[in-house]
């Protein structure tokens, strides 16, 4: 609930990892989601130091689809507890697919999309880093 500040070094890594369109989408995420993405990326790279850049891009962008729901952090908690009962709650629960669609439109690689969707080796590693 209290996002950690992103260091200049971490922000530089985000900028060098993401393509222009991806960085624009990442920048639209709320502060808490950007902070969370960097924290997950730290765990991911510690476990998978040789992961390709496109997989790391997927890690930074794994929650980008949540921007479509427009839910605040407290409403996200409610949505998690009650499930996809409204259109916005359903959008929140479908954030991986929505994020992959946004990223496809932005020109992201297949590997980035697969990672965002939690598929393949890097998607599995993302899920482990995200579930800690």
């Amino acid at each position: 609930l209290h996002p950690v500040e992103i260091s200049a070094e971490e922000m530089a890594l985000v900028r060098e990892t993401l393509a222009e369109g991806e960085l624009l989408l990442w920048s639209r995420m709320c502060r808490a989601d950007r902070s969370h993405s960097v924290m997950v990326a730290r765990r991911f790279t510690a476990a998978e130091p040789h992961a390709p850049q496109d997989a790391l891009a997927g890690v930074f962008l794994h929650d980008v689809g949540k921007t479509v729901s427009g839910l605040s952090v407290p409403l996200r908690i409610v949505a998690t507890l009650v499930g996809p009962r409204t259109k916005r709650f359903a959008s929140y629960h479908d954030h991986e697919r929505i994020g992959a669609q946004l990223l496809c439109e932005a020109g992201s690689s297949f590997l980035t999309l697969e990672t965002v969707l939690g598929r393949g080796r890097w998607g599995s590693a993302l899920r482990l880093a995200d579930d800690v």
Side-chain angles (χ1 to χ4, degrees):
L1 294 176
H2 299 287
V4 176
E5 285 294 321
I6 298 171
S7 72
E9 181 180 301
E10 291 165 332
M11 194 62 221
L13 179 61
V14 170
R15 286 189 181 108
E16 74 183 40
T17 302
L18 301 180
E20 185 178 334
E22 293 171 336
L23 183 58
L24 181 63
L25 289 170
W26 184 86
S27 297
R28 290 181 184 160
M29 295 188 334
C30 71
R31 182 175 174 221
D33 286 345
R34 291 191 311 267
S35 176
H36 170 73
S37 78
V38 170
M39 180 181 61
V40 173
R42 273 191 239 123
R43 292 183 199 138
F44 177 86
T45 55
E48 300 288 351
H50 302 295
Q53 183 170 333
D54 287 356
L56 183 57
V59 173
F60 282 126
L61 296 161
H62 74 279
D63 284 336
V64 74
K66 291 180 179 179
T67 60
V68 172
S69 72
L71 297 177
S72 64
V73 173
L75 281 177
R76 289 178 181 189
I77 294 167
V78 173
T80 301
L81 294 173
V82 303
R85 294 176 187 230
T86 69
K87 184 177 180 179
R88 289 173 65 199
F89 284 13
S91 175
Y92 173 76
H93 282 276
D94 199 20
H95 75 274
E96 290 175 343
R97 185 193 58 77
I98 292 168
Q101 183 179 352
L102 292 170
L103 292 166
C104 184
E105 292 167 7
S108 294
S109 74
F110 178 78
L111 181 56
T112 298
L113 299 175
E114 287 291 291
T115 304
V116 165
L117 290 167
R119 297 178 184 157
R121 174 181 177 184
W122 308 116
S124 296
L126 163 61
R127 288 194 190 278
L128 288 172
D130 195 22
D131 288 342
V132 172

